Amino acid sequence: MKFSLNQATTKYWPMEDLVRGLLDAGVGAVGLWREDVTAYGLERTASLMRESGLVVSSLCRGGFFHRPDWLDDNRRAIDEAAALGTGTLVLVSGGLPDGSRDIDGARKHVGEAIGRLVEHATASGVRLAIEPLHPMFCSDRCVVATLSQALAIAAPYPASAVGVCVDTYHLWWDDTVWEQLRAHPDRIAAFQLADWITPLPAGVLTGRGLPGTGCVDLARFSRAVTEAGYTGWTEVEVFNDEVWSRPGAEVLADVLKGLPA
């Protein structure tokens, strides 16, 4: 497994401490978030990554196509990914526009919006990775709720330009995932691990568990993407208030212990 720690898992670990901690643990890659990169400085972050030798496995996130400024913001996201040296920009599509109940129309808009980004992304050496989120997030965060929907949106575009992000937290419940991974191996652009633990907290967003703490068969997912031919990074991306309250190095150690064999 080519393991990468997504920065969101240790949300309050300062950038330089994060880099130092990963190197001390022998981890060779990190997934970055735009907000944290902006806070530290884009050029400063890119320089830190180059000097440390860490690979930036992905940048999160673009998308949120229901917002009025989606085009300019996503073009900036592509530019930021290119500046950081990562070939993968994860897209979270966004929810319904205010006052709308037209979820089909919202998904259609996502496909059209991605189409307007493909040329710029390709020219920048950045692949767009559409991430389906669990259906409970459809209204406000992501109208793309299944792997099949993400693949359908990606289908009109070259696989080298548009793929999908497979996140175990969001897809573990769907029994059609396995056949879709076998049928569309060239579309797997990113792979993220997080466990499902219950009860979910209020707001549900921060209910992810570290690998091995919940009910998801993470080993089955790892085998499935590997057998499909995916050779990229496996990121652990966890949103959890209790995890965030702990020292970053301690969380990283627990992540490494919980990775599927």
Side-chain angles (χ1 to χ4, degrees):
M1 179 185 295
K2 293 168 55 179
F3 167 69
S4 174
L5 181 72
N6 189 286
Q7 187 174 24
T9 306
T10 53
K11 184 177 178 68
Y12 300 113
W13 209 4
M15 184 75 76
E16 292 178 8
D17 294 343
L18 167 66
V19 168
R20 189 177 304 111
L22 292 175
L23 294 177
D24 288 346
V27 175
V30 62
L32 295 177
W33 274 71
R34 293 180 67 200
E35 294 88 344
D36 298 290
V37 169
T38 298
Y40 190 75
L42 177 60
E43 292 305 320
R44 194 178 173 204
T45 303
S47 177
L48 180 62
M49 295 302 129
R50 288 192 299 268
E51 292 170 3
S52 69
L54 283 177
V55 174
V56 180
S57 52
S58 72
L59 180 65
C60 293
R61 64 186 187 259
F64 280 77
F65 297 114
H66 65 293
R67 295 176 176 171
D69 66 340
W70 68 264
L71 181 56
D72 289 342
D73 185 63
N74 277 275
R75 288 178 66 87
R76 284 194 299 271
I78 291 167
D79 293 341
E80 291 163 13
L84 293 166
T86 181
T88 304
L89 175 65
V90 176
L91 302 180
V92 175
S93 71
L96 292 171
D98 288 343
S100 174
R101 294 184 175 89
D102 184 6
I103 195 167
D104 294 333
R107 290 195 187 110
K108 181 180 179 183
H109 170 65
V110 170
E112 293 169 347
I114 289 172
R116 292 184 64 183
L117 296 173
V118 167
E119 183 177 358
H120 183 58
T122 301
S124 302
V126 175
R127 190 181 190 192
L128 305 175
I130 305 168
E131 181 176 10
L133 266 57
H134 191 280
M136 64 184 171
F137 294 111
C138 272
S139 65
D140 61 341
R141 302 188 75 82
C142 192
V143 294
V144 179
T146 66
L147 185 59
S148 63
Q149 289 168 357
L151 288 166
I153 291 171
Y157 313 109
S160 59
V162 184
V164 297
C165 175
V166 177
D167 187 316
T168 60
Y169 178 78
H170 296 298
L171 298 177
W172 72 275
W173 56 276
D174 187 351
D175 65 350
T176 70
V177 163
W178 318 112
E179 178 54 37
Q180 292 174 70
L181 293 176
R182 288 191 291 269
H184 304 280
D186 58 337
R187 293 287 178 178
I188 306 172
F191 178 48
Q192 296 179 336
L193 295 181
D195 225 327
W196 182 283
I197 54 177
T198 48
L200 292 173
V204 305
L205 183 63
T206 58
R208 303 187 189 197
L210 295 177
T213 62
C215 61
V216 181
D217 190 346
L218 300 177
R220 184 181 184 188
F221 269 95
S222 293
R223 288 195 302 271
V225 296
T226 299
E227 289 169 3
Y230 178 71
T231 59
W233 296 95
T234 297
E235 287 186 5
V236 169
E237 184 190 62
V238 171
F239 302 165
N240 185 294
D241 290 311
E242 187 277 328
V243 171
W244 289 342
S245 71
R246 295 166 53 196
E250 179 182 299
V251 172
L252 175 58
D254 281 353
V255 167
L256 292 170
K257 285 189 292 188
L259 292 176

